[in-house]
Amino acid sequence: MIEAHLAKLRKRDDISAEEEDAIRGAISDTRRVGADQILCPRGKDLDFSTLLIDGWAARVRDLPNGQRQITELHVAGDFVDLHSFTLKRLDHEVAALTPCKVAIVPHERLRAITEQFPHLTRVYWFATNLDAAIHREWAVSLGRRSAKAAMAALFCELRIRLDIIGRVRDDSFDFPLTQERLADCLGMTPVHANRMLQDLRGAGLIALYSRKLQILNLKGLEEVAGFDPAYLYLERKAR
Amino acid sequence: MIEAHLAKLRKRDDISAEEEDAIRGAISDTRRVGADQILCPRGKDLDFSTLLIDGWAARVRDLPNGQRQITELHVAGDFVDLHSFTLKRLDHEVAALTPCKVAIVPHERLRAITEQFPHLTRVYWFATNLDAAIHREWAVSLGRRSAKAAMAALFCELRIRLDIIGRVRDDSFDFPLTQERLADCLGMTPVHANRMLQDLRGAGLIALYSRKLQILNLKGLEEVAGFDPAYLYLERKAR
DNA sequence: CGCGGTGTTGAGACCTGTCAAGACGTGTGG
DNA sequence: CCACACGTCTTGACAGGTCTCAACACCGCG
Protein backbone atom coordinates (compact mmCIF):
# COMPACT_ATOMS: atom_id res chain seq x y z
CA MET A 1 0.00 0.00 0.00
CA ILE A 2 2.84 2.40 0.76
CA GLU A 3 5.06 0.91 -1.93
CA ALA A 4 5.09 4.15 -3.92
CA HIS A 5 6.11 6.04 -0.80
CA LEU A 6 8.93 3.62 -0.05
CA ALA A 7 10.07 3.72 -3.68
CA LYS A 8 10.27 7.49 -3.49
CA LEU A 9 12.30 7.39 -0.27
CA ARG A 10 14.58 4.61 -1.43
CA LYS A 11 15.33 6.47 -4.64
CA ARG A 12 17.25 8.95 -2.46
CA ASP A 13 18.53 6.93 0.50
CA ASP A 14 18.55 3.52 2.13
CA ILE A 15 15.62 2.73 4.39
CA SER A 16 16.22 -0.13 6.80
CA ALA A 17 13.65 -2.80 7.57
CA GLU A 18 13.30 -1.36 11.03
CA GLU A 19 12.64 2.10 9.62
CA GLU A 20 10.14 0.67 7.19
CA ASP A 21 8.33 -0.88 10.13
CA ALA A 22 8.34 2.45 11.90
CA ILE A 23 6.77 4.08 8.87
CA ARG A 24 4.09 1.42 8.58
CA GLY A 25 3.44 1.68 12.29
CA ALA A 26 2.99 5.42 12.06
CA ILE A 27 -0.13 5.08 9.95
CA SER A 28 -3.22 5.20 12.09
CA ASP A 29 -5.87 5.07 9.47
CA THR A 30 -6.75 5.03 5.81
CA ARG A 31 -9.37 7.12 4.03
CA ARG A 32 -10.94 7.74 0.66
CA VAL A 33 -11.64 11.24 -0.52
CA GLY A 34 -13.65 12.29 -3.56
CA ALA A 35 -12.37 14.49 -6.36
CA ASP A 36 -12.40 18.23 -5.60
CA GLN A 37 -12.61 17.57 -1.87
CA ILE A 38 -10.24 19.30 0.49
CA LEU A 39 -7.65 16.92 1.87
CA CYS A 40 -6.01 19.38 4.23
CA PRO A 41 -7.62 22.69 5.13
CA ARG A 42 -5.78 25.98 5.25
CA GLY A 43 -5.24 27.71 8.56
CA LYS A 44 -6.64 25.11 10.93
CA ASP A 45 -4.50 23.46 13.58
CA LEU A 46 -3.55 20.01 12.37
CA ASP A 47 -2.48 17.05 14.45
CA PHE A 48 -1.83 14.58 11.65
CA SER A 49 -0.19 14.45 8.25
CA THR A 50 -1.55 12.87 5.10
CA LEU A 51 0.26 10.38 2.92
CA LEU A 52 -1.14 10.04 -0.58
CA ILE A 53 -1.59 6.37 -1.45
CA ASP A 54 -3.37 6.82 -4.74
CA GLY A 55 -4.71 9.67 -6.82
CA TRP A 56 -3.57 13.20 -7.55
CA ALA A 57 -3.63 16.20 -5.21
CA ALA A 58 -2.52 19.81 -5.35
CA ARG A 59 -1.38 22.52 -2.98
CA VAL A 60 -3.69 25.40 -3.74
CA ARG A 61 -3.65 29.06 -2.78
CA ASP A 62 -6.88 30.93 -3.42
CA LEU A 63 -6.66 34.67 -3.90
CA PRO A 64 -9.20 37.29 -2.79
CA ASN A 65 -10.14 38.00 -6.42
CA GLY A 66 -11.03 34.40 -7.14
CA GLN A 67 -7.82 33.47 -8.88
CA ARG A 68 -5.88 30.47 -7.70
CA GLN A 69 -2.28 29.36 -7.83
CA ILE A 70 -1.31 25.73 -7.51
CA THR A 71 2.13 25.59 -5.90
CA GLU A 72 2.80 21.87 -6.20
CA LEU A 73 1.25 18.75 -7.63
CA HIS A 74 1.23 15.52 -5.63
CA VAL A 75 1.08 11.94 -6.80
CA ALA A 76 0.99 8.56 -5.09
CA GLY A 77 3.74 8.19 -2.51
CA ASP A 78 3.90 11.88 -1.64
CA PHE A 79 3.43 13.06 1.92
CA VAL A 80 1.21 15.95 0.90
CA ASP A 81 1.45 17.87 4.16
CA LEU A 82 4.41 16.46 6.00
CA HIS A 83 5.41 20.06 6.58
CA SER A 84 2.33 20.54 8.76
CA PHE A 85 4.15 18.45 11.37
CA THR A 86 6.40 21.39 12.25
CA LEU A 87 4.28 24.22 10.86
CA LYS A 88 1.21 23.06 12.84
CA ARG A 89 -1.10 24.68 10.30
CA LEU A 90 -0.94 25.17 6.55
CA ASP A 91 -0.68 28.37 4.57
CA HIS A 92 -2.48 26.70 1.67
CA GLU A 93 -5.07 24.04 1.04
CA VAL A 94 -4.36 20.57 -0.24
CA ALA A 95 -7.13 19.54 -2.60
CA ALA A 96 -7.84 16.20 -4.22
CA LEU A 97 -7.73 16.51 -8.00
CA THR A 98 -9.03 12.97 -8.47
CA PRO A 99 -10.58 10.50 -6.05
CA CYS A 100 -7.79 9.78 -3.58
CA LYS A 101 -6.82 7.14 -1.13
CA VAL A 102 -4.78 8.50 1.76
CA ALA A 103 -3.10 7.26 4.92
CA ILE A 104 -3.27 9.28 8.11
CA VAL A 105 -0.13 9.71 10.20
CA PRO A 106 -0.67 11.39 13.58
CA HIS A 107 1.87 14.04 14.45
CA GLU A 108 2.54 12.36 17.79
CA ARG A 109 3.87 9.36 15.89
CA LEU A 110 6.04 11.58 13.71
CA ARG A 111 7.29 13.18 16.87
CA ALA A 112 8.16 9.74 18.22
CA ILE A 113 10.13 9.10 15.04
CA THR A 114 12.13 12.28 15.64
CA GLU A 115 12.91 11.02 19.14
CA GLN A 116 13.86 7.48 18.19
CA PHE A 117 14.95 7.46 14.55
CA PRO A 118 17.34 10.32 13.77
CA HIS A 119 18.16 8.98 10.33
CA LEU A 120 14.53 8.53 9.34
CA THR A 121 13.93 12.04 10.65
CA ARG A 122 16.59 13.32 8.30
CA VAL A 123 15.01 11.38 5.44
CA TYR A 124 11.67 13.06 6.06
CA TRP A 125 13.36 16.40 6.52
CA PHE A 126 14.94 15.76 3.14
CA ALA A 127 11.50 15.03 1.69
CA THR A 128 10.21 18.46 2.71
CA ASN A 129 13.37 20.06 1.37
CA LEU A 130 12.71 18.32 -1.92
CA ASP A 131 9.27 19.92 -1.99
CA ALA A 132 10.98 23.26 -1.47
CA ALA A 133 13.34 22.53 -4.37
CA ILE A 134 10.31 21.85 -6.55
CA HIS A 135 8.83 25.14 -5.42
CA ARG A 136 11.98 26.90 -6.52
CA GLU A 137 11.87 25.28 -9.91
CA TRP A 138 8.27 26.37 -10.30
CA ALA A 139 9.30 29.89 -9.33
CA VAL A 140 11.81 29.78 -12.17
CA SER A 141 9.04 28.69 -14.52
CA LEU A 142 6.62 31.32 -13.27
CA GLY A 143 9.16 34.09 -13.25
CA ARG A 144 11.49 33.51 -16.13
CA ARG A 145 10.28 30.83 -18.51
CA SER A 146 7.91 31.53 -21.37
CA ALA A 147 4.47 29.99 -21.05
CA LYS A 148 5.38 27.22 -23.46
CA ALA A 149 8.68 26.44 -21.75
CA ALA A 150 7.02 26.40 -18.33
CA MET A 151 4.46 23.89 -19.52
CA ALA A 152 7.14 21.72 -21.06
CA ALA A 153 9.13 21.85 -17.82
CA LEU A 154 6.12 20.71 -15.83
CA PHE A 155 5.64 17.71 -18.08
CA CYS A 156 9.33 16.81 -17.80
CA GLU A 157 9.13 16.97 -14.02
CA LEU A 158 6.05 14.81 -13.82
CA ARG A 159 7.51 12.20 -16.12
CA ILE A 160 10.42 11.70 -13.73
CA ARG A 161 8.39 11.80 -10.55
CA LEU A 162 5.85 9.35 -11.90
CA ASP A 163 8.55 7.09 -13.27
CA ILE A 164 9.99 6.73 -9.77
CA ILE A 165 6.71 5.19 -8.64
CA GLY A 166 6.37 3.06 -11.75
CA ARG A 167 3.58 4.94 -13.45
CA VAL A 168 5.28 5.74 -16.74
CA ARG A 169 5.30 3.48 -19.77
CA ASP A 170 7.05 4.56 -22.95
CA ASP A 171 7.07 8.18 -21.79
CA SER A 172 3.29 8.06 -21.35
CA PHE A 173 1.31 8.54 -18.17
CA ASP A 174 -2.08 9.51 -16.83
CA PHE A 175 -2.51 13.24 -16.55
CA PRO A 176 -5.90 13.92 -14.93
CA LEU A 177 -5.78 17.72 -14.77
CA THR A 178 -8.18 19.85 -16.74
CA GLN A 179 -6.59 22.62 -18.75
CA GLU A 180 -7.95 25.09 -16.24
CA ARG A 181 -6.01 23.43 -13.43
CA LEU A 182 -2.95 23.11 -15.58
CA ALA A 183 -3.23 26.87 -16.06
CA ASP A 184 -3.43 27.29 -12.27
CA CYS A 185 -0.08 25.50 -11.96
CA LEU A 186 1.53 27.72 -14.55
CA GLY A 187 0.06 31.07 -13.56
CA MET A 188 -1.71 31.63 -16.84
CA THR A 189 -5.27 31.71 -18.15
CA PRO A 190 -6.98 28.53 -19.35
CA VAL A 191 -7.24 30.00 -22.84
CA HIS A 192 -3.52 30.55 -23.01
CA ALA A 193 -2.80 27.14 -21.54
CA ASN A 194 -4.86 25.68 -24.34
CA ARG A 195 -2.86 27.55 -26.96
CA MET A 196 0.48 26.55 -25.50
CA LEU A 197 -0.70 22.96 -25.43
CA GLN A 198 -1.53 23.25 -29.11
CA ASP A 199 1.94 24.61 -29.72
CA LEU A 200 3.55 21.64 -28.02
CA ARG A 201 1.29 19.26 -29.90
CA GLY A 202 1.91 21.04 -33.18
CA ALA A 203 5.66 20.73 -32.64
CA GLY A 204 5.24 16.99 -32.29
CA LEU A 205 6.52 17.02 -28.71
CA ILE A 206 3.51 15.66 -26.86
CA ALA A 207 0.04 14.22 -27.27
CA LEU A 208 -2.59 14.82 -24.62
CA TYR A 209 -6.00 13.32 -25.10
CA SER A 210 -8.56 11.88 -22.70
CA ARG A 211 -6.34 12.59 -19.72
CA LYS A 212 -3.37 10.62 -21.03
CA LEU A 213 -0.14 12.46 -21.69
CA GLN A 214 2.28 11.00 -24.16
CA ILE A 215 5.70 12.53 -24.61
CA LEU A 216 6.57 11.98 -28.23
CA ASN A 217 9.94 13.70 -28.25
CA LEU A 218 11.52 13.85 -24.82
CA LYS A 219 14.77 15.46 -25.92
CA GLY A 220 12.84 18.13 -27.78
CA LEU A 221 10.54 18.76 -24.84
CA GLU A 222 13.47 19.10 -22.45
CA GLU A 223 15.10 21.48 -24.85
CA VAL A 224 12.05 23.70 -25.09
CA ALA A 225 11.83 23.69 -21.30
CA GLY A 226 15.51 24.23 -20.61
CA PHE A 227 15.01 21.30 -18.27
CA ASP A 228 17.65 20.15 -15.81
CA PRO A 229 16.51 17.47 -13.35
CA ALA A 230 19.19 18.35 -10.79
CA TYR A 231 16.54 19.88 -8.53
CA LEU A 232 14.82 16.50 -8.15
CA TYR A 233 17.82 15.03 -6.33
CA LEU A 234 17.69 11.69 -8.05
CA GLU A 235 20.84 10.29 -6.45
CA ARG A 236 20.84 7.86 -3.58
CA LYS A 237 22.89 9.16 -0.67
CA ALA A 238 23.07 8.88 3.08
CA ARG A 239 21.02 11.82 4.32
CA MET B 1 26.65 37.55 17.24
CA ILE B 2 23.85 35.11 16.55
CA GLU B 3 21.27 37.27 18.30
CA ALA B 4 19.31 37.77 15.11
CA HIS B 5 19.24 34.03 14.54
CA LEU B 6 18.02 33.35 18.06
CA ALA B 7 15.42 36.09 17.76
CA LYS B 8 14.10 34.47 14.61
CA LEU B 9 13.89 31.05 16.26
CA ARG B 10 12.38 32.37 19.47
CA LYS B 11 9.71 34.22 17.54
CA ARG B 12 8.30 30.77 16.68
CA ASP B 13 9.23 28.52 19.61
CA ASP B 14 11.05 28.36 22.92
CA ILE B 15 14.76 27.65 22.75
CA SER B 16 16.28 26.42 25.99
CA ALA B 17 19.62 27.60 27.31
CA GLU B 18 21.01 24.14 26.59
CA GLU B 19 19.80 24.31 23.01
CA GLU B 20 21.25 27.76 22.63
CA ASP B 21 24.59 26.37 23.78
CA ALA B 22 24.29 23.59 21.22
CA ILE B 23 23.71 26.14 18.49
CA ARG B 24 26.68 28.25 19.56
CA GLY B 25 28.79 25.13 19.77
CA ALA B 26 27.84 24.09 16.27
CA ILE B 27 29.59 27.07 14.74
CA SER B 28 33.10 26.17 13.68
CA ASP B 29 34.16 29.36 12.06
CA THR B 30 33.25 32.85 10.97
CA ARG B 31 33.94 34.48 7.63
CA ARG B 32 33.51 37.68 5.71
CA VAL B 33 32.44 37.63 2.11
CA GLY B 34 32.38 40.53 -0.31
CA ALA B 35 29.36 41.74 -2.21
CA ASP B 36 28.51 39.70 -5.32
CA GLN B 37 30.57 36.78 -4.09
CA ILE B 38 29.10 33.31 -4.06
CA LEU B 39 28.34 32.16 -0.54
CA CYS B 40 27.25 28.64 -1.49
CA PRO B 41 27.92 27.17 -4.90
CA ARG B 42 25.37 25.24 -6.92
CA GLY B 43 25.85 21.54 -7.53
CA LYS B 44 28.92 20.90 -5.40
CA ASP B 45 28.87 18.52 -2.47
CA LEU B 46 28.66 20.55 0.71
CA ASP B 47 29.67 19.50 4.20
CA PHE B 48 28.68 22.62 6.07
CA SER B 49 25.84 25.10 6.22
CA THR B 50 26.05 28.86 6.35
CA LEU B 51 24.37 31.10 8.89
CA LEU B 52 24.07 34.72 7.86
CA ILE B 53 25.26 36.98 10.68
CA ASP B 54 25.11 40.25 8.82
CA GLY B 55 24.35 41.43 5.31
CA TRP B 56 21.92 40.39 2.60
CA ALA B 57 22.05 37.28 0.45
CA ALA B 58 19.89 35.70 -2.23
CA ARG B 59 19.14 32.27 -3.58
CA VAL B 60 19.77 32.61 -7.28
CA ARG B 61 18.99 30.41 -10.25
CA ASP B 62 20.79 31.31 -13.46
CA LEU B 63 19.17 30.26 -16.71
CA PRO B 64 20.92 29.16 -19.91
CA ASN B 65 19.86 32.36 -21.69
CA GLY B 66 21.45 34.61 -19.10
CA GLN B 67 18.28 35.42 -17.19
CA ARG B 68 18.18 34.87 -13.48
CA GLN B 69 15.48 34.25 -10.92
CA ILE B 70 15.99 34.97 -7.26
CA THR B 71 13.90 32.52 -5.27
CA GLU B 72 14.43 33.94 -1.80
CA LEU B 73 16.08 36.84 -0.06
CA HIS B 74 18.02 36.31 3.13
CA VAL B 75 18.79 38.69 5.94
CA ALA B 76 20.74 38.48 9.17
CA GLY B 77 19.75 35.49 11.26
CA ASP B 78 18.79 33.30 8.30
CA PHE B 79 20.41 29.93 7.79
CA VAL B 80 20.85 30.48 4.07
CA ASP B 81 21.51 26.85 3.16
CA LEU B 82 20.34 24.82 6.09
CA HIS B 83 18.60 22.64 3.52
CA SER B 84 21.97 21.58 2.15
CA PHE B 85 22.32 19.48 5.32
CA THR B 86 19.89 16.89 3.95
CA LEU B 87 20.11 17.75 0.26
CA LYS B 88 23.93 17.46 0.28
CA ARG B 89 24.18 19.82 -2.66
CA LEU B 90 22.21 22.84 -3.78
CA ASP B 91 20.05 23.30 -6.86
CA HIS B 92 20.79 27.04 -6.78
CA GLU B 93 23.52 29.41 -5.75
CA VAL B 94 23.47 31.57 -2.68
CA ALA B 95 25.04 34.90 -3.51
CA ALA B 96 26.00 37.79 -1.23
CA LEU B 97 24.11 40.92 -2.22
CA THR B 98 26.11 43.06 0.18
CA PRO B 99 29.30 42.38 2.11
CA CYS B 100 28.33 39.59 4.49
CA LYS B 101 29.49 38.11 7.72
CA VAL B 102 28.65 34.44 8.03
CA ALA B 103 29.08 31.59 10.49
CA ILE B 104 30.01 28.12 9.30
CA VAL B 105 28.21 25.13 10.77
CA PRO B 106 29.63 21.76 9.74
CA HIS B 107 27.04 19.19 8.74
CA GLU B 108 28.52 16.69 11.19
CA ARG B 109 27.55 19.02 14.01
CA LEU B 110 24.05 19.40 12.62
CA ARG B 111 23.92 15.64 12.44
CA ALA B 112 24.92 15.45 16.08
CA ILE B 113 22.05 17.82 16.88
CA THR B 114 19.62 15.47 15.13
CA GLU B 115 20.96 12.63 17.28
CA GLN B 116 20.90 14.48 20.59
CA PHE B 117 18.37 17.29 20.37
CA PRO B 118 15.11 16.13 18.82
CA HIS B 119 13.30 19.34 19.63
CA LEU B 120 16.01 21.55 18.21
CA THR B 121 15.96 19.31 15.15
CA ARG B 122 12.26 20.02 14.74
CA VAL B 123 12.92 23.73 15.16
CA TYR B 124 15.43 23.66 12.32
CA TRP B 125 13.15 21.47 10.26
CA PHE B 126 10.51 24.13 10.84
CA ALA B 127 12.96 26.78 9.63
CA THR B 128 13.39 25.05 6.28
CA ASN B 129 9.62 24.60 6.04
CA LEU B 130 9.26 28.31 6.61
CA ASP B 131 11.57 28.90 3.65
CA ALA B 132 9.29 26.66 1.60
CA ALA B 133 6.26 28.68 2.71
CA ILE B 134 8.03 31.82 1.53
CA HIS B 135 8.70 30.10 -1.78
CA ARG B 136 5.00 29.37 -2.12
CA GLU B 137 4.09 32.97 -1.45
CA TRP B 138 6.56 34.07 -4.10
CA ALA B 139 4.99 31.59 -6.50
CA VAL B 140 1.67 33.29 -5.86
CA SER B 141 3.27 36.64 -6.63
CA LEU B 142 5.00 35.37 -9.75
CA GLY B 143 1.99 33.48 -11.02
CA ARG B 144 -1.05 35.45 -10.04
CA ARG B 145 -0.23 38.89 -8.75
CA SER B 146 0.22 41.89 -10.99
CA ALA B 147 3.72 43.32 -11.13
CA LYS B 148 2.79 46.14 -8.81
CA ALA B 149 1.06 43.86 -6.29
CA ALA B 150 3.98 41.45 -6.31
CA MET B 151 6.39 44.25 -5.51
CA ALA B 152 4.17 45.52 -2.73
CA ALA B 153 3.93 42.00 -1.29
CA LEU B 154 7.70 41.67 -1.24
CA PHE B 155 8.07 44.90 0.69
CA CYS B 156 5.41 43.79 3.18
CA GLU B 157 7.21 40.49 3.72
CA LEU B 158 10.57 42.14 4.26
CA ARG B 159 9.17 44.62 6.72
CA ILE B 160 7.98 41.78 8.95
CA ARG B 161 11.09 39.65 8.59
CA LEU B 162 13.37 42.56 9.31
CA ASP B 163 11.25 43.70 12.21
CA ILE B 164 11.75 40.31 13.87
CA ILE B 165 15.47 40.97 13.99
CA GLY B 166 15.04 44.58 15.03
CA ARG B 167 15.99 46.27 11.81
CA VAL B 168 12.84 48.27 11.21
CA ARG B 169 12.18 51.75 12.59
CA ASP B 170 8.96 53.55 11.79
CA ASP B 171 8.29 51.21 8.87
CA SER B 172 11.66 52.08 7.36
CA PHE B 173 14.58 49.79 6.72
CA ASP B 174 17.70 49.34 4.62
CA PHE B 175 16.98 47.85 1.24
CA PRO B 176 20.30 47.31 -0.54
CA LEU B 177 19.04 45.72 -3.76
CA THR B 178 19.47 47.41 -7.08
CA GLN B 179 16.35 47.63 -9.20
CA GLU B 180 17.80 44.96 -11.43
CA ARG B 181 17.98 42.50 -8.56
CA LEU B 182 14.57 43.50 -7.34
CA ALA B 183 13.38 42.63 -10.83
CA ASP B 184 15.11 39.24 -10.53
CA CYS B 185 13.05 38.54 -7.42
CA LEU B 186 9.82 39.45 -9.16
CA GLY B 187 10.41 37.81 -12.53
CA MET B 188 10.25 41.04 -14.47
CA THR B 189 12.60 43.32 -16.38
CA PRO B 190 14.51 46.09 -14.60
CA VAL B 191 12.70 48.68 -16.70
CA HIS B 192 9.35 47.40 -15.58
CA ALA B 193 10.48 47.16 -11.98
CA ASN B 194 11.41 50.80 -12.20
CA ARG B 195 7.97 51.74 -13.49
CA MET B 196 6.17 49.76 -10.83
CA LEU B 197 8.33 51.41 -8.21
CA GLN B 198 7.27 54.78 -9.58
CA ASP B 199 3.65 53.66 -9.34
CA LEU B 200 4.06 52.78 -5.68
CA ARG B 201 5.86 56.02 -5.01
CA GLY B 202 3.29 57.99 -6.94
CA ALA B 203 0.52 56.43 -4.88
CA GLY B 204 2.25 57.64 -1.74
CA LEU B 205 2.77 54.10 -0.48
CA ILE B 206 6.55 53.99 -0.25
CA ALA B 207 9.71 56.00 -0.66
CA LEU B 208 12.90 54.31 -1.81
CA TYR B 209 16.02 56.39 -2.14
CA SER B 210 19.69 55.68 -1.54
CA ARG B 211 18.95 52.10 -0.56
CA LYS B 212 16.51 52.99 2.21
CA LEU B 213 12.94 51.85 1.93
CA GLN B 214 10.29 53.75 3.79
CA ILE B 215 6.76 52.46 3.91
CA LEU B 216 4.57 55.54 4.04
CA ASN B 217 1.20 53.82 4.04
CA LEU B 218 1.39 50.28 5.32
CA LYS B 219 -2.34 49.58 5.14
CA GLY B 220 -2.43 50.83 1.58
CA LEU B 221 0.60 48.78 0.60
CA GLU B 222 -0.87 45.64 2.10
CA GLU B 223 -4.10 46.31 0.28
CA VAL B 224 -2.38 46.70 -3.06
CA ALA B 225 -0.48 43.46 -2.39
CA GLY B 226 -3.41 41.47 -1.06
CA PHE B 227 -0.98 40.69 1.72
CA ASP B 228 -1.70 38.11 4.41
CA PRO B 229 1.23 37.34 6.73
CA ALA B 230 -0.14 33.91 7.69
CA TYR B 231 2.59 32.24 5.63
CA LEU B 232 5.28 33.72 7.87
CA TYR B 233 4.08 31.72 10.88
CA LEU B 234 4.52 34.49 13.38
CA GLU B 235 3.08 32.59 16.32
CA ARG B 236 5.17 30.99 19.02
CA LYS B 237 4.34 27.30 19.39
CA ALA B 238 5.97 24.08 20.50
CA ARG B 239 7.29 22.60 17.27
C1' DC C 1 37.02 65.40 -14.41
C1' DG C 2 35.64 61.28 -16.43
C1' DC C 3 33.88 56.74 -15.91
C1' DG C 4 30.86 52.88 -14.83
C1' DG C 5 27.00 51.42 -12.57
C1' DT C 6 22.41 52.60 -11.72
C1' DG C 7 18.07 54.85 -12.42
C1' DT C 8 14.60 57.08 -15.63
C1' DT C 9 11.90 57.80 -19.66
C1' DG C 10 9.78 57.02 -24.35
C1' DA C 11 8.08 54.42 -28.40
C1' DG C 12 6.85 50.39 -30.36
C1' DA C 13 6.58 45.22 -30.43
C1' DC C 14 5.14 41.11 -28.44
C1' DC C 15 3.20 38.00 -25.22
C1' DT C 16 -0.61 37.03 -22.55
C1' DG C 17 -5.31 38.25 -20.92
C1' DT C 18 -10.23 39.19 -21.84
C1' DC C 19 -14.49 38.35 -23.76
C1' DA C 20 -17.31 35.74 -26.44
C1' DA C 21 -18.98 32.09 -29.25
C1' DG C 22 -19.13 27.59 -30.76
C1' DA C 23 -17.58 22.49 -30.81
C1' DC C 24 -17.09 18.32 -28.55
C1' DG C 25 -18.18 14.54 -25.40
C1' DT C 26 -20.32 12.32 -21.88
C1' DG C 27 -23.99 11.33 -18.77
C1' DT C 28 -28.91 11.81 -17.77
C1' DG C 29 -33.68 11.66 -18.39
C1' DG C 30 -37.59 11.22 -21.30
C1' DC D 1 -32.84 5.70 -28.82
C1' DC D 2 -32.86 10.50 -28.85
C1' DA D 3 -32.67 15.16 -26.78
C1' DC D 4 -30.60 17.83 -23.75
C1' DA D 5 -27.44 19.80 -20.33
C1' DC D 6 -23.13 20.55 -18.52
C1' DG D 7 -18.29 20.65 -18.24
C1' DT D 8 -14.43 21.03 -21.05
C1' DC D 9 -11.90 22.24 -25.09
C1' DT D 10 -11.12 25.29 -29.06
C1' DT D 11 -10.94 29.42 -31.73
C1' DG D 12 -11.11 34.45 -32.96
C1' DA D 13 -10.69 39.41 -32.25
C1' DC D 14 -9.19 42.74 -29.48
C1' DA D 15 -7.20 44.90 -25.20
C1' DG D 16 -3.70 45.45 -22.07
C1' DG D 17 0.40 44.38 -19.48
C1' DT D 18 5.07 43.64 -19.94
C1' DC D 19 9.29 43.49 -22.79
C1' DT D 20 12.72 45.45 -25.90
C1' DC D 21 15.65 48.79 -27.44
C1' DA D 22 17.51 53.04 -26.95
C1' DA D 23 18.81 57.33 -25.11
C1' DC D 24 19.78 60.18 -21.41
C1' DA D 25 20.30 61.61 -16.37
C1' DC D 26 22.32 60.88 -12.07
C1' DC D 27 25.85 59.87 -8.81
C1' DG D 28 29.65 58.01 -6.26
C1' DC D 29 34.31 57.15 -6.91
C1' DG D 30 38.98 56.94 -8.69
Side-chain angles (χ1 to χ4, degrees), chain A residues 8-53:
Chain A
K8 184 186 169 188
L9 297 184
R10 287 190 165 126
K11 178 78 182 176
R12 277 77 173 211
D13 196 358
D14 295 324
I15 305 294
S16 71
E18 191 188 2
E19 285 169 337
E20 182 177 332
D21 287 346
I23 295 170
R24 290 184 191 282
I27 295 170
S28 70
D29 196 11
T30 258
R31 289 183 197 165
R32 285 181 186 280
V33 178
D36 299 318
Q37 297 304 106
I38 295 197
L39 276 178
C40 317
R42 172 176 194 268
K44 284 200 204 150
D45 275 18
L46 298 172
D47 60 2
F48 62 87
S49 286
T50 304
L51 174 56
L52 190 52
I53 304 297

Side-chain angles (χ1 to χ4, degrees), chain A residues 61 68 86-89 91 114 122 125 128-129 135-137 144 184 230 233 235 238-239, chain B residues 61 68 86-89 91 114 122 125 128-129 135-137 144 184 188 230 233 235 238-239:
Chain A
R61 268 287 307 271
R68 43 177 40 196
T86 63
L87 293 177
K88 304 304 178 196
R89 62 173 172 81
D91 49 275
T114 66
R122 292 193 298 268
W125 188 353
T128 61
N129 286 338
H135 289 156
R136 285 189 290 274
E137 188 67 19
R144 291 304 189 191
D184 287 335
Y233 293 88
E235 62 273 7
R239 307 287 172 182
Chain B
R61 268 285 308 271
R68 44 177 38 195
T86 64
L87 294 176
K88 304 303 179 197
R89 61 173 173 81
D91 48 275
T114 67
R122 293 193 298 271
W125 189 351
T128 62
N129 286 338
H135 289 156
R136 285 190 289 276
E137 187 67 20
R144 292 304 190 192
D184 287 335
M188 62 184 79
Y233 293 89
E235 62 274 7
R239 307 286 171 182

Side-chain angles (χ1 to χ4, degrees), chain A residues 42 45 59 61 63-65 67-72 82-92 110-111 114-115 118-119 121-133 135-140 142-145 180 183-190 226 228-235 237-239, chain B residues 42 45 59 61 63-65 67-72 82-92 110-111 114-115 118-119 121-133 135-140 142-145 180 183-190 226 228-235 237-239:
Chain A
R42 172 176 194 268
D45 275 18
R59 300 192 186 182
R61 268 287 307 271
L63 300 233
N65 61 6
Q67 294 192 103
R68 43 177 40 196
Q69 177 67 42
I70 292 177
T71 61
E72 192 174 357
L82 180 54
H83 51 313
S84 75
F85 169 53
T86 63
L87 293 177
K88 304 304 178 196
R89 62 173 172 81
L90 292 180
D91 49 275
H92 59 270
L110 287 172
R111 185 191 168 100
T114 66
E115 310 274 350
H119 172 255
T121 302
R122 292 193 298 268
V123 166
Y124 277 135
W125 188 353
F126 167 86
T128 61
N129 286 338
L130 179 56
D131 286 325
H135 289 156
R136 285 189 290 274
E137 188 67 19
W138 285 39
V140 170
L142 292 165
R144 291 304 189 191
R145 280 198 251 250
E180 185 174 4
D184 287 335
C185 295
L186 300 170
M188 61 184 80
T189 54
D228 175 355
Y231 74 98
L232 291 174
Y233 293 88
L234 298 169
E235 62 273 7
K237 269 188 193 172
R239 307 287 172 182
Chain B
R42 173 176 192 268
D45 275 18
R59 301 192 186 182
R61 268 285 308 271
L63 301 231
N65 61 7
Q67 294 190 102
R68 44 177 38 195
Q69 176 67 42
I70 293 177
T71 61
E72 192 174 357
L82 180 54
H83 51 313
S84 76
F85 169 54
T86 64
L87 294 176
K88 304 303 179 197
R89 61 173 173 81
L90 292 181
D91 48 275
H92 60 268
L110 286 173
R111 186 191 168 99
T114 67
E115 310 274 351
H119 172 255
T121 302
R122 293 193 298 271
V123 166
Y124 278 135
W125 189 351
F126 167 85
T128 62
N129 286 338
L130 179 56
D131 285 327
H135 289 156
R136 285 190 289 276
E137 187 67 20
W138 284 37
V140 170
L142 291 166
R144 292 304 190 192
R145 280 198 251 250
E180 184 174 6
D184 287 335
C185 295
L186 300 169
M188 62 184 79
T189 53
D228 175 355
Y231 75 99
L232 291 174
Y233 293 89
L234 298 168
E235 62 274 7
K237 267 188 194 172
R239 307 286 171 182

Side-chain angles (χ1 to χ4, degrees), chain A residues 101-117:
Chain A
K101 188 176 170 193
V102 301
I104 302 300
V105 179
H107 284 171
E108 60 193 49
R109 300 198 192 177
L110 287 172
R111 185 191 168 100
I113 285 176
T114 66
E115 310 274 350
Q116 297 161 35
F117 297 92

